[in-house]
Amino acid sequence: MKRLFFALALCAASGACMAGGDMRFYEARSDKIRFTGRAAENGDGSLSFDWSGCHFTFRFDGSRCAMRAADTGRNYYNVFVDGRLYGKATVEGASSCVPLAEGLAPGPHTVTVQKRTEAEQGRTTLYGIEADGALLDLPPAPSRLIEFIGDSHTEGKTVSEPFTPETENCDLAWGCIVARCFDADYVLTAHSGQGVVRNWGDVKQTSDVTMRQRILRTFDMTDSPRWDFRGYKPDIVVIKLGTNDCSTGITPSEAAFGKAFRELYGALREHYGSVPILYVIPDGAEAFYPYMQSVMAGLEDDDLHCVMHFTGITNQDGDLGAGYHPNHRGHRKFAAAVIPYISTIMGWEMPMEVIQ
C-alpha cells in the first residue's frame, strides 16, 4: 500500500511556551511528527487544516508536552497518551501554548492529538510541539488507511441535549470505530448537513455545493486551494451519505442522484485509481438503493460496492444523542453493520473483540 504523509520541519527556535524545565521546540514540519489528513503547509513551516478527524502523532522522552497553535475560531482536540485518552485540549485565537500532557512518568511516550470538531468551528494552524525531552523516532504507521466520506459526527447524552461544539467528538462516531476494528488509520472527509445530491433542508432537488464538490478541497470551508490528492492514498473509501439528501420531504430523482453520484465517483477514480469504494445508504434514504443498482450496472466496476442501513438499525431513544444524531451506542451499531462488508471486500480478518 502506498502511504504518503505530510511531514511536519525542525526550526530554530521559537522559545518555550511551558514554564519551568528545559523545554525543546520542534517545528510542525519535523520528520518526527506524523500528520494524517488534509492540510496546507505555510511558508513559515506551520501547517493549517480544518477537517474533523485530522490528527498528528509524535513520541518524546519526558513527562510534559504542549503544542503551539492558533485558530480562526475555537476547536477541541482529543489527546491520547500511550494509546489511552488523556484529556481534551482547546485551541482558539492567536498563536498560544496549548498544554497536552503533564506529570507523566519520566520516559518515552507516544502522543496523538485528534481534532474532535468540524471545520465550521474554525481553521487551526499548528506551529510546532514543545516537550521537556527529545522527540523520538515515530512508531510504525498503521499499514491500513480508510477514508470516510460523510456528514455529521456528533456525540451527546440525550436527544433533548442541544448540539454544542464541546460535545462534538468524531472519535466516538462510526468511522473511527470501524478504523479501530481493523487497526487502520483514517481520514474523515465529512461535513454536517451535506449530501450527494442535496443538502439538509434545501428547497432545490440539487444543491449547488455538496460533498461531491467538497472532496476536492484542501479546506472544507473554502473552495481553494484544491486538494492535490498526494497527501495520502486510502486502501478503501467508505461513503455514507443520503440522510440529508432525503430531508424535509424531498427525495431527489433517480436522474439527479445518478448524475451526482457519478460525479463523486469519477473524482475518486481519477485520483485514487481502482481502490475499492463502498457506498453505505443510510436509514431514510431507501430510495437510493434501486438508484444505486442502476448506477452500478452502468459503471460495471467490480470495485464499487453498496450496502443498506435498513430502518430499525437504531432505536429512537437510547441510540440517539444531541440534535437527534446517533450517540456512541448508535454509532457502534452503524459500525457493526459495515465491518463485515469491509472485511469481505478487503480480505481483512474481522476481530472478535467488542467494538468500541
Side-chain angles (χ1 to χ4, degrees), residues 117-188:
T117 35
E118 287 194 84
E120 291 176 312
Q121 305 307 320
R123 182 187 302 179
T124 299
T125 296
L126 174 69
Y127 293 96
I129 295 299
E130 184 174 288
D132 65 349
L135 291 198
L136 306 174
D137 290 342
L138 285 161
S143 61
R144 299 165 176 170
L145 177 66
I146 306 173
E147 181 167 12
F148 297 92
I149 298 175
D151 41 40
S152 306
H153 292 272
T154 59
E155 170 69 11
K157 297 180 179 64
T158 66
V159 295
S160 62
E161 180 183 335
F163 167 78
T164 64
E166 289 84 354
T167 62
E168 191 172 29
N169 187 358
C170 66
D171 196 61
L172 299 180
W174 70 278
C176 287
I177 296 169
V178 169
R180 284 193 287 275
C181 175
F182 290 112
D183 292 323
D185 211 341
Y186 58 88
V187 174
L188 308 180

Side-chain angles (χ1 to χ4, degrees), residues 20-287:
D22 183 17
M23 304 298 289
R24 309 180 191 184
F25 180 82
Y26 295 82
E27 198 177 68
R29 292 179 301 174
S30 169
D31 61 5
K32 290 184 167 48
I33 305 171
R34 181 167 56 233
F35 183 93
T36 306
R38 299 187 178 196
E41 187 178 307
N42 303 308
D44 61 359
S46 63
L47 197 71
S48 295
F49 50 93
D50 68 354
W51 292 97
S52 64
C54 287
H55 55 284
F56 58 91
T57 297
F58 62 93
R59 293 182 69 234
F60 78 105
D61 188 359
S63 62
R64 299 189 303 151
C65 61
M67 63 177 172
R68 180 169 288 281
D71 205 289
T72 61
R74 176 188 292 170
N75 275 284
Y76 298 97
Y77 285 79
N78 287 320
V79 180
F80 300 90
V81 177
D82 299 329
R84 295 179 178 273
L85 181 63
Y86 175 88
K88 185 168 74 172
T90 304
V91 182
E92 61 181 322
S95 175
S96 64
C97 174
V98 180
L100 297 175
E102 300 183 72
L104 303 177
H109 297 284
T110 301
V111 179
T112 296
V113 183
Q114 174 202 48
K115 189 173 186 285
R116 294 167 53 115
T117 35
E118 287 194 84
E120 291 176 312
Q121 305 307 320
R123 182 187 302 179
T124 299
T125 296
L126 174 69
Y127 293 96
I129 295 299
E130 184 174 288
D132 65 349
L135 291 198
L136 306 174
D137 290 342
L138 285 161
S143 61
R144 299 165 176 170
L145 177 66
I146 306 173
E147 181 167 12
F148 297 92
I149 298 175
D151 41 40
S152 306
H153 292 272
T154 59
E155 170 69 11
K157 297 180 179 64
T158 66
V159 295
S160 62
E161 180 183 335
F163 167 78
T164 64
E166 289 84 354
T167 62
E168 191 172 29
N169 187 358
C170 66
D171 196 61
L172 299 180
W174 70 278
C176 287
I177 296 169
V178 169
R180 284 193 287 275
C181 175
F182 290 112
D183 292 323
D185 211 341
Y186 58 88
V187 174
L188 308 180
T189 309
H191 185 110
S192 287
Q194 299 288 290
V196 179
V197 189
R198 175 177 170 270
N199 299 327
W200 176 268
D202 197 336
V203 297
K204 299 185 294 184
Q205 275 224 0
T206 302
S207 297
D208 295 332
V209 176
T210 68
M211 287 307 297
R212 67 186 189 276
Q213 286 89 19
R214 289 183 185 274
I215 63 168
L216 303 176
R217 298 176 173 183
T218 298
F219 301 120
D220 178 16
M221 298 301 291
T222 57
D223 191 47
S224 63
R226 291 300 181 97
W227 179 238
D228 62 11
F229 288 87
R230 296 177 184 173
Y232 60 86
K233 183 175 180 180
D235 293 290
I236 182 172
V237 177
V238 183
I239 304 166
K240 186 172 182 287
L241 293 166
T243 300
N244 300 304
D245 295 86
C246 300
S247 64
T248 59
I250 299 176
T251 299
S253 67
E254 182 173 355
F257 173 85
K259 181 177 184 296
F261 187 87
R262 287 185 182 92
E263 183 179 334
L264 187 154
Y265 164 87
L268 295 175
R269 281 285 172 260
E270 176 186 353
H271 295 291
Y272 291 152
S274 60
V275 303
I277 298 171
L278 173 62
Y279 178 41
V280 181
I281 300 174
D283 174 19
E286 290 84 356

Side-chain angles (χ1 to χ4, degrees), residues 289-300:
Y289 191 77
Y291 294 179
M292 193 61 189
Q293 302 312 303
S294 296
V295 169
M296 293 170 69
L299 292 172
E300 296 183 333

